Amino acid sequence: MSHKRIVFSGSNDIEIVGHIAGPEAGATVLLAHGGGQTKRAWAKTLEQLATAGYRAVAVDLRGHGESQWSPDGTYETAHFAADLLCVADQLKARPHLVGASLGGLSGLVAEGVLRPGSLASLTLVDIAPNVAPAGVERVVGFMQKHVETGFASPEEAAEVIAAYTPNRAKRGASDGLKHYLRLGDDGRYRWHWDPAFIASVQARRSRGEEREAIMDEAVAGLRLPVHLVRGASSDLLTQEAADEFKKQVPGLVYSDIAGAGHMVVGDRNDAFAGAILGFLDQQ
């Protein structure tokens, strides 16, 4: 099933670019990717949702993919959350949000802190307020490693990705990889996202207590159906942290995807799609 390109106006009129597919009369599902990813991470999920009768929308978060970079170089979770609320306002119906990692935390802040009642449901993909520091360090380390130097070729970038995701079959520098890279004036390839994004990530990590307070407020403010999807082999969201979150959110629906790590959607897409469709069909 084909999709269409769509442009939204985010917070402070920042341009947010997305893909939309599925029948206009279908319930709306908004897909928000993780840090360093793009809307293309949801390509199969977008198609699966559309085929099941949902109106699916996948967006590039600010500073990622085709969306505009933040003019002042700041990327707080609240900024991403405000953008999602702006997108939600421009859709025809209150959306069900499915957010991976950063996208999930942004949805959590949007619904739990900024404007409760804006979402129909919230699905968090391998993310909760309490995450393992070692897992976060691995993700941030991967993003930081080549932020300045970049890569000599797409093939070199493909090797780095393969080393980061050893549980997946190794892929070459396919045409799809070009959407994750930008060619600089110096002839080097760099990740598609704004380098200032990773600096903001590091700044948030240094404000641990402040972040914890915001997340506590967000969780306390939830009054909608919540679905937590965890990769059973995740090094970022531990089973203990998932169990803690389940206690904090009464009625939470939990899915544990065997054979998947933090990158659940890419690791086990069909199992992931089955889990979210099972949840959404009950709403």
Side-chain angles (χ1 to χ4, degrees):
M1 184 175 290
S2 62
H3 62 256
K4 295 181 180 179
R5 185 177 185 272
I6 185 169
V7 179
F8 299 97
S9 179
S11 178
N12 299 124
D13 294 323
I14 197 164
E15 188 174 272
I16 302 295
V17 180
H19 286 161
I20 186 168
E24 290 190 16
T28 304
V29 182
L30 178 57
L31 303 164
H33 62 74
Q37 295 183 311
T38 73
K39 59 185 177 298
R40 290 180 61 86
W42 302 107
K44 284 191 67 176
T45 305
L46 193 78
E47 180 179 348
Q48 290 160 321
L49 286 167
T51 299
Y54 289 93
R55 186 67 162 166
V57 182
V59 295
D60 285 331
L61 300 181
R62 64 166 58 203
H64 292 70
E66 294 183 82
S67 289
Q68 187 180 345
W69 289 9
S70 180
D72 60 2
T74 57
Y75 291 92
E76 297 294 329
T77 306
H79 294 148
F80 295 110
D83 289 339
L84 291 178
L85 290 176
C86 287
V87 171
D89 288 343
Q90 291 161 70
L91 297 170
K92 292 184 177 180
R94 226 174 16 135
H96 299 273
L97 180 76
V98 178
S101 203
L102 173 63
L105 289 180
S106 301
L108 182 61
V109 171
E111 176 66 27
V113 178
L114 298 187
R115 204 175 70 197
S118 297
L119 304 177
S121 72
L122 175 62
T123 294
L124 302 176
V125 184
D126 208 67
I127 196 67
N130 184 17
V131 292
V136 175
E137 190 63 40
R138 190 176 80 89
V139 174
V140 173
F142 168 76
M143 296 181 69
Q144 279 186 316
K145 193 170 184 181
H146 298 276
V147 68
E148 295 293 341
T149 59
F151 308 97
S153 66
E155 288 75 20
E156 183 181 342
E159 290 291 335
V160 171
I161 294 172
Y164 178 66
T165 56
N167 56 317
R168 295 191 201 174
K170 185 177 179 180
R171 300 175 183 174
S174 64
D175 288 341
L177 184 59
K178 68 183 180 183
H179 295 280
Y180 292 91
L181 298 169
R182 54 188 169 86
L183 181 60
D185 294 337
D186 59 356
R188 303 281 294 181
Y189 292 86
R190 291 175 176 82
W191 299 124
H192 61 89
W193 40 267
D194 183 355
F197 165 67
I198 197 66
S200 284
V201 170
Q202 291 289 56
R204 285 200 302 275
R205 292 177 68 202
S206 69
R207 301 195 306 270
E209 291 184 5
E210 176 185 339
R211 177 184 181 279
E212 183 177 333
I214 292 172
M215 289 303 154
D216 286 346
E217 180 184 355
V219 173
L222 295 179
R223 298 291 185 274
L224 79 173
V226 179
H227 182 200
L228 176 62
V229 181
R230 176 179 177 266
S233 302
S234 175
D235 62 347
L236 193 142
L237 179 62
T238 65
Q239 184 63 63
E240 292 74 18
D243 290 339
E244 178 184 343
F245 189 57
K246 285 190 282 185
K247 293 177 182 177
Q248 293 175 306
V249 184
L252 178 144
V253 176
Y254 181 61
S255 298
D256 201 38
I257 308 298
H262 181 57
M263 312 291 279
V264 182
V265 183
D267 290 347
R268 293 288 313 282
N269 184 265
D270 288 344
F272 168 76
I276 63 168
L277 283 170
F279 172 75
L280 291 170
D281 288 348
Q282 296 299 314
Q283 304 311 308

